[in-house]
């Protein structure tokens, strides 16, 4: 629809129905200041405002039951995605070595600069029809969430949200889940 103002044609602010999904996803840019890429499906770029720790969904669910502070958390298919401070992906291998998990096949990975994840539907938005396994928020982000993303402890950082504790819990739960799956397959 177009309206006329002083003889000039001005497009209305109404979002065309075919673009409503894309407009809803622009919430990430407009409200959180996060970078989007491509689509469909819309991607959230990692390494700028956040990195991602990615682990099996069963291990991720176990981490969420622990008294470990986390930032936003999403699940996509059989993977849980923990948003952490930018730069954390580069620290993962060193942290695992320091925590004496180095060399253990944990199925715990990190996405940092140059990566992306599928954007879950923004909080409060009806999820568009999407295939099974689409990303959804378990703990959605809120404006200013960068202040609560787990990071390495340092001056001015709350020790309750540090990356070391989250990685230690994630490594433990990945190992437990792997052992549980292995034991289950022996008796199946």
């Amino acid at each position: 629809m177009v309206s006329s103002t002083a003889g000039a044609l001005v497009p209305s602010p109404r979002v065309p129905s075919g673009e409503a999904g894309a407009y809803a996803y622009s919430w990430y840019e407009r409200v959180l200041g996060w970078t989007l890429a491509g689509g469909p499906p819309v991607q959230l770029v990692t390494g700028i405002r956040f990195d991602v720790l990615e682990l099996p969904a069963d291990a991720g669910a176990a981490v969420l039951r622990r008294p470990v502070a986390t930032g936003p958390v999403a699940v996509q298919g059989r993977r849980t995605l923990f948003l952490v401070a930018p730069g954390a992906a580069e620290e993962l291998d060193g942290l695992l070595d320091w925590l004496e998990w180095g060399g253990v096949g944990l199925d715990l990975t990190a996405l940092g600069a140059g990566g992306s994840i599928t954007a879950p539907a923004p909080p409060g938005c009806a999820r568009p029809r999407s295939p099974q396994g689409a990303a959804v928020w378990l703990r959605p982000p809120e404006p200013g969430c960068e202040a609560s993303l787990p990071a390495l402890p340092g001056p001015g950082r709350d020790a309750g949200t540090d990356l070391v504790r989250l990685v230690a819990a994630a490594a433990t739960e990945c190992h437990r889940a792997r052992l549980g799956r292995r034991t289950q397959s022996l008796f199946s």
Side-chain angles (χ1 to χ4, degrees):
M1 175 181 273
V2 177
S3 61
S4 175
T5 304
L9 296 178
V10 179
S12 72
R14 186 177 73 87
V15 178
S17 61
E19 296 175 19
Y23 181 76
Y25 283 88
S26 73
W27 174 84
Y28 290 108
E29 289 178 312
R30 290 182 289 110
V31 176
L32 299 179
W34 292 0
T35 304
L36 299 179
V42 174
Q43 300 290 303
L44 297 174
V45 177
T46 59
I48 300 170
R49 295 287 198 156
F50 60 88
D51 285 355
V52 174
L53 288 181
E54 184 179 334
L55 54 150
D58 54 352
V63 170
L64 290 172
R65 289 190 296 270
R66 287 171 155 247
V68 176
T70 70
V73 180
V75 66
Q76 181 172 11
R78 295 181 179 189
R79 306 292 289 175
T80 303
L81 312 170
F82 287 83
L83 275 60
V84 294
E90 296 170 15
E91 302 295 335
L92 181 61
D93 289 339
L95 276 175
L96 290 172
D97 286 343
W98 184 73
L99 293 165
E100 299 184 0
W101 286 106
V104 178
L106 297 172
D107 197 13
L108 172 61
T109 59
L111 294 169
S116 66
I117 60 170
T118 300
C125 292
R127 284 194 299 231
R129 289 184 186 218
S130 55
Q132 188 164 353
V136 296
W137 287 114
L138 298 176
R139 292 185 179 166
E142 297 174 357
C145 72
E146 284 86 1
S148 66
L149 292 177
L152 288 172
R157 294 226 171 122
D158 178 5
T161 60
D162 70 85
L163 184 64
V164 176
R165 290 180 185 170
L166 178 58
V167 169
T172 300
E173 296 304 340
C174 283
H175 184 64
R176 286 180 178 163
R178 186 176 131 231
L179 291 175
R181 288 188 294 270
R182 183 175 287 164
T183 302
Q184 192 175 34
S185 69
L186 290 174
F187 296 105
S188 297

